[in-house]
Each structure stands twice: as C-alpha cells, then as structure tokens.
Amino acid sequence: MVDSASDDRLETRLVHAGEPTPRADGAVAMPVFQSSTFTIDRARGEAGYHDLRYIRLNNTPNQLALAAKLAAIEGGEAALVTGSGMAAISTTLLSLLGAGDHLLAQRELYGGTHALLTDNLPRLGIGATFIDAGAPASWKAALRPTTRVLYVEAISNPLLRIGDLAAAASFARAHGLVSIIDATFATPVNLRPIDLGFDLVLHSATKYLNGHSDIVAGALIGRAVLVEKTKHLLDHLGGSLDPHACFLLQRGLKTLSLRVRHQSASALTLARFLEAHPAVAAVHYPGLESHPDHARARPWFSGFGGVLSFELRGGVEAADRLIARARLPLHAPSLGGPETLLTRPATASHAGLTPEDRARAGLPDALLRLCVGLEAPEDLLADLDQALR
Ligand SMILES: *Cc1c(COP(=O)(O)O)cnc(C)c1O
C-alpha cells in the first residue's frame, strides 16, 4: 500500500518508502530475512493457509517492503514483486484472461511477450490481435465481444517507437478493458503511466529498477483488486522472488533516479553525436526531434531512457566492425545496468525471427542497439568516435 508520506517527491520515496518503521532492530538498511517459513503468530490472528508466511506466498518481510516501495514510487494502490519480468507479464495476463478471451496488443513487443501471446496463450484458448499502437483510429475494428485487455509497451525495442499512450488508456476505459503497460524502458523516473490512466504497470526489474546487471526480477503495480488477483495466481504458479534478490532490488531502487537521469542525458548526447556523424545512416532515439514519435511523446516523458539504435552506411560488416573495435561497450544483451552494452539485434534479441520477418518488422540486419550505462558520456563518445573511424 502507498506510504502515508506520499506527498514526497520521487527521489525521497525511492529512499524512504516501504522501509520498516521502526527500522528492524535499528538497521538503517533493510536486512535479508533469509527464511523460507515463519512461525505462526496466534496473536496476529494467523490461522488459515493464506495467513501463513512463506516465500512462495509473496508475503515475507523483504517481499512486502519491496512491494510497498514499488507501489509508492509508481503511485499505484498496490504492487507485487515477481521472480522475473516474464513472471510478472505471464502471471498478470493469465489472471485476467481465460479460455475464449481475447486481448489487443501492440505489434512491436518484447520477444518473450510476443512468444507468450503467439505460442503459449493460444493453446489455452486465449487469442490476441496485434494493433498499431500509434494509430488509435484503427483499434475499434480489432475489438471483439470477448476482448478483455489492452497491452502496450512504453517504448518499443529496438526502434524505440512510442505509441499513443494516453489514447490507449482512455480507449481501454471506454471499452471496459484492463489497460496494461510494460514500462521497463521508461521507468517511473521518465513516465507516470498511472497518471496517464493505466490500470496496471509492469516492469522487468532486471533492467533499470535494479540497475546493476546482477539479478532477474519483475514487478506489477496498479489497482489493488487486479494486483491481489495476480498475487493469488502467482502463489500457485510459483514465480516468487527470493529474499536476497529482493534485498538487492530494494538497494538498487534507492539510486534509480540518479542512474536513469544520467543514462537518459548520456543517451541523448550520444544520439545527437551519431546523428551528425557521416558514417551513420540513421539514429532512432525518441529524445531526438527527428524521431517520428517525439512530438507526441514529449508531454508524457521527462527523459527518454538509455537505449538508442542506429544504422551505419557500411551495413552489417561495418556494424560488426564497430562492435569489435569499441573499447567500452560490452557485447551483451539486456539493458539498464552500469555497463554500456552494444548488440546487433538481428543476432541477439531478434535472432529468432527469419530475415523476412525482420524485414517486415522494419528491422534492418545492420541495426545496432546501444544501451547506455553509467560511464562518463565523454568517454563513450570518444570511444564510439575512434571505433567509427
Ligand atoms: C527484459 C524485458 C522483459 C522480460 O524481463 P525478464 O526480467 O528478463 O523476465 C520484458 N519486457 C521488456 C520490455 C524487457 O526489456
């Protein structure tokens, strides 16, 4: 539940919200309660199965403190922490949809989510129609009497497109759908989905929320009845987060604002540098005025995150040469950590697609994705400059 001191600004909530009051045995940092089970406290009225405290039941001290912090920073009624971003996504969708139900989903989805919607959910009798998130006028035609959910992502990967997010939330409300946004690429620092009207906000906390490339975790924040429903299914599906990973995520969250503002500013600097470079054919970053969604998204975003993609004039060969010559960026997938990461999505996140599918998705094989870390932007810029020469 939201901390009572909810008038505090985001930076203050990141530090203080959800922390136990009084502190556990005076410890300033929340300790790790590395215990799978807890004694039954008759005085607290614990009796039935659902009152027992057990890690899989998502009700142990580290999980509850973290959920309270997440609810407070995202501005939601309630929150749930999960064993991965995909555990949050799959459990939420399975709690809202059953056999015969249907959802509308943005066409460019995170690969795991796309596979869930196209491979796994149809086997359970759950259908999906993919929509152009930037064209609200086309959505009504995709509605069915069985449509229950509208699902979008804050910023798509790897072309960094931003749909009409305000229209998505109001369309869902008007048609009785639950609106869900995967805000992993935006974070609560750059986007406030609940203020835009979304019912549920999902995160791969593996990325920016934790921010240190050392755990896998997920989160769900939003309307209490929906979070509670998902929690009951999570109890049964078993995708809970262990206390030590909770501890690391809670620690990482305290510096979220500092990290994301640095990464967003660095990414904009590098995007402007690349856009002006003669070896670069195109740059995709929603913070650039040249980005097709910049004008629409500007009022909703305080920054556009650390991920950008670009194409070199020299094609695939030049792209692979850049990866080999760059000194600082590590050649690894994922994002949101201290280390800048550089990949060619055709051989990484989108390697599962055929060349034809990639072409249809408007994804050139030569596209490079840069996930900016916490290094000095001047060093990253100088490194890219020497690697491009
Ligand atoms: C990484 C990612 C996920 C999946 O999260 P995991 O923590 O790897 O399960 C979902 N959505 C987006 C946008 C992601 O980047």
Side-chain angles (χ1 to χ4, degrees), residues 83-87 89 110 113 151 153 155 157 182 184-185 203-207 216-218 334-335:
S84 69
M86 283 311 303
I89 293 165
Y110 174 73
T113 310
Y151 187 101
E153 292 185 0
I155 305 178
N157 174 44
D182 177 340
T184 301
F185 275 48
H203 288 280
S204 167
T206 310
K207 317 292 170 49
V216 172
S334 200
L335 60 128

Side-chain angles (χ1 to χ4, degrees), residues 21 66 82 110 128 152 185 197 237 285 300 380:
T21 39
L66 190 47
T82 63
Y110 174 73
V152 296
F185 275 48
L237 294 183
Y285 184 66
W300 307 324
L380 292 170

Side-chain angles (χ1 to χ4, degrees), residues 134 154-156 159-165 190-191 264 267-268 271-272 275 283-305:
I155 305 178
S156 79
L159 292 175
L160 295 312
R161 298 301 305 259
I162 298 174
D164 195 333
L165 303 180
N190 284 334
L191 182 72
S264 301
L268 182 59
R272 290 202 201 290
E275 196 173 40
V283 181
H284 309 277
Y285 184 66
L288 291 175
E289 290 75 10
S290 59
H291 188 280
D293 304 322
H294 175 80
R296 179 174 57 209
R298 183 70 268 181
W300 307 324
F301 284 78
S302 336
F304 290 93

Side-chain angles (χ1 to χ4, degrees), residues 3-296:
D3 206 77
S4 54
S6 57
D7 285 345
D8 288 336
R9 289 174 175 74
L10 178 63
E11 287 75 7
T12 308
R13 293 188 206 187
L14 286 167
V15 174
H16 292 291
E19 302 292 331
T21 39
R23 295 295 210 256
D25 216 14
V28 169
M30 173 84 178
V32 187
F33 286 79
Q34 196 70 51
S35 183
S36 58
T37 187
F38 289 72
T39 54
I40 297 166
D41 183 353
R42 296 279 171 211
R44 291 176 64 216
E46 293 181 14
Y49 168 81
H50 285 292
D51 298 318
L52 303 180
R53 287 184 294 163
Y54 183 67
I55 293 173
R56 183 173 44 73
L57 299 180
N58 303 293
N59 58 5
T60 61
N62 291 99
Q63 293 165 324
L64 294 178
L66 190 47
K69 190 184 285 291
L70 286 163
I73 66 179
E74 197 67 90
E77 290 172 0
L80 181 65
V81 57
T82 63
S84 69
M86 283 311 303
I89 293 165
S90 57
T91 310
T92 301
L93 290 176
L94 287 170
S95 82
L96 296 171
L97 298 159
D101 288 340
H102 171 256
L103 77 154
L104 301 182
Q106 172 170 358
R107 190 162 290 125
E108 314 84 2
L109 284 179
Y110 174 73
T113 310
H114 189 268
L116 179 75
L117 265 52
T118 54
D119 297 345
N120 308 113
L121 294 188
R123 295 182 49 199
L124 303 173
I126 301 165
T129 299
F130 292 102
I131 55 168
D132 178 347
S138 67
W139 300 344
K140 204 161 179 188
L143 274 179
R144 297 183 194 168
T146 54
T147 309
R148 306 274 176 255
V149 164
L150 176 67
Y151 187 101
V152 296
E153 292 185 0
I155 305 178
S156 79
N157 174 44
L159 292 175
L160 295 312
R161 298 301 305 259
I162 298 174
D164 195 333
L165 303 180
S170 59
F171 180 89
R173 177 140 315 152
H175 294 93
L177 316 179
V178 175
S179 55
I180 307 179
I181 184 166
D182 177 340
T184 301
F185 275 48
T187 82
V189 177
N190 284 334
L191 182 72
R192 312 295 308 166
I194 290 181
D195 293 346
L196 279 178
F198 281 92
D199 296 312
L200 292 172
V201 187
L202 291 163
H203 288 280
S204 167
T206 310
K207 317 292 170 49
Y208 291 106
L209 297 192
N210 178 61
H212 291 76
S213 320
D214 51 13
I215 61 164
V216 172
L220 167 68
I221 303 115
R223 284 171 48 201
V225 282
L226 302 176
V227 173
E228 187 61 22
K229 206 170 163 201
T230 305
K231 182 222 170 298
H232 285 304
L233 183 60
L234 189 70
D235 289 351
H236 298 156
L237 294 183
S240 51
L241 192 67
D242 83 83
H244 186 249
C246 287
F247 167 83
L248 290 173
L249 176 51
Q250 191 168 333
R251 178 168 75 165
L253 278 170
K254 293 180 188 179
T255 55
L256 179 71
S257 181
L258 292 172
R259 291 186 282 103
V260 170
R261 281 192 277 135
H262 179 95
Q263 284 162 317
S264 301
S266 295
L268 182 59
T269 300
L270 294 173
R272 290 202 201 290
F273 161 75
L274 289 167
E275 196 173 40
H277 198 286
V280 177
V283 181
H284 309 277
Y285 184 66
L288 291 175
E289 290 75 10
S290 59
H291 188 280
D293 304 322
H294 175 80
R296 179 174 57 209

